[in-house]
Amino acid sequence: MVLIAPSLLAADFGHLAADIKTVETAGADWLHLDIMDGHFVPNLSFGADVVRQLRLLSKLFFDVHLMVEEPEKFMTQFIDGGADQITVHYEACHNLDTVLKNIKTQGVCAGISIKPDTPVCVLEPFLDSLDNILIMTVEPGFGGQKFMSRLLPKIKETAKLIGNRPIHLEVDGGINPETAKLCVEQGANVLVAGSAVFKSDNPAEVIRLLRQSGE
Ligand code: DX5
Ligand code: ZN
């Protein structure tokens, strides 16, 4: 079974409450929250105060994707704001082992994300501390980009590395019902989709189709 994680980055920022209700009612499993600092990625999004307000509106699993340098400086405010999972970037951390332990000690799930050109082997030393691996299928920083199909073998390689461990394999970037199917075939089980869901006239139907891609 796949989990569907709409990315709020593509929602209408003037009507976040309504957009969250739409995807929650349509059966989304997680809400993917993209945090950008203008350094690790060339863009800004929103901060922990916004997450804290959204927490009051939704019971969805809050999947926080920290695209920030030195995430250890910021992660606690997102956990206090209601994150259920914090995923940090391998490329942004100086001491990843400590960062992951710190996240787990605070009682939430921990994940690592890797950019398109970062090899899967860097994940190996951390497997025992991980709840989630996020494979970026576009360069991080912006919604609405085209899925990089050259990364499909990387998803398969990651699934092989995970083996039987209870670690989610999440894909993020350019995911729609067609690309989702390709990713699920390679072993992905969490589908992040921003534009495909929120820019659609019928988000509930897109969520249904995404779910179908895993059946
Ligand atoms: C990109 C973000 C994604 C983004 C996906 O850096 O990590 O979560 O919102 O957007 P789409 O689904 O539009 O590619
Ligand atoms: Zn993301």
Side-chain angles (χ1 to χ4, degrees):
M1 174 177 135
V2 296
L3 300 177
I4 313 299
S7 166
L8 203 65
L9 197 62
D12 177 348
F13 277 23
H15 299 93
L16 288 177
D19 277 7
I20 291 172
K21 197 170 171 30
T22 298
V23 296
E24 193 158 3
T25 308
D29 301 285
W30 293 4
L31 189 67
H32 186 80
L33 300 163
D34 288 301
I35 312 303
M36 304 179 179
D37 68 348
H39 293 280
F40 181 70
V41 290
N43 199 7
L44 293 166
S45 59
F46 50 87
D49 288 341
V50 173
V51 174
R52 190 184 306 276
Q53 292 302 318
L54 300 180
R55 185 71 283 176
L56 304 173
L57 303 172
S58 171
K59 291 197 167 26
L60 287 170
F61 181 92
F62 273 15
D63 172 35
V64 172
H65 178 192
L66 284 186
M67 285 165 278
V68 306
E69 293 286 355
E70 299 186 272
E72 58 274 21
K73 287 189 180 165
F74 303 99
M75 57 203 193
T76 300
Q77 51 179 285
F78 286 95
I79 295 170
D80 291 345
D84 294 298
Q85 171 162 276
I86 300 284
T87 295
V88 298
H89 266 269
Y90 171 82
E91 305 86 356
C93 291
H94 301 303
N95 193 343
L96 194 44
D97 213 25
T98 311
V99 168
L100 294 173
K101 283 203 179 76
N102 193 341
I103 295 171
K104 302 284 282 186
T105 307
Q106 295 187 65
V108 300
C109 299
I112 300 180
S113 179
I114 54 174
K115 298 207 286 186
D117 291 332
T118 302
V120 172
C121 60
V122 304
L123 300 167
E124 204 167 343
F126 307 104
L127 290 174
D128 289 339
S129 323
L130 287 178
D131 300 291
N132 188 48
I133 292 174
L134 193 173
I135 301 294
M136 286 305 307
T137 44
V138 298
E139 285 297 339
F142 299 90
Q145 302 181 76
K146 190 173 180 301
F147 177 80
M148 296 172 157
S149 49
R150 72 171 168 95
L151 297 177
L152 287 168
K154 187 175 178 180
I155 298 168
K156 189 171 195 170
E157 192 187 344
T158 310
K160 199 168 160 211
L161 182 71
I162 290 174
N164 291 327
R165 294 177 182 85
I167 301 175
H168 288 299
L169 177 43
E170 183 174 31
V171 286
D172 182 6
I175 302 297
N176 57 41
E178 291 75 46
T179 56
K181 192 168 170 39
L182 303 174
C183 293
V184 171
E185 281 168 5
Q186 305 303 315
N189 81 311
V190 184
L191 305 169
V192 176
S195 310
V197 170
F198 286 110
K199 305 293 188 206
S200 157
D201 292 337
N202 191 347
E205 173 64 4
V206 175
I207 288 175
R208 193 186 67 77
L209 291 171
L210 287 168
R211 193 172 297 290
Q212 223 174 42
S213 71
E215 287 166 1

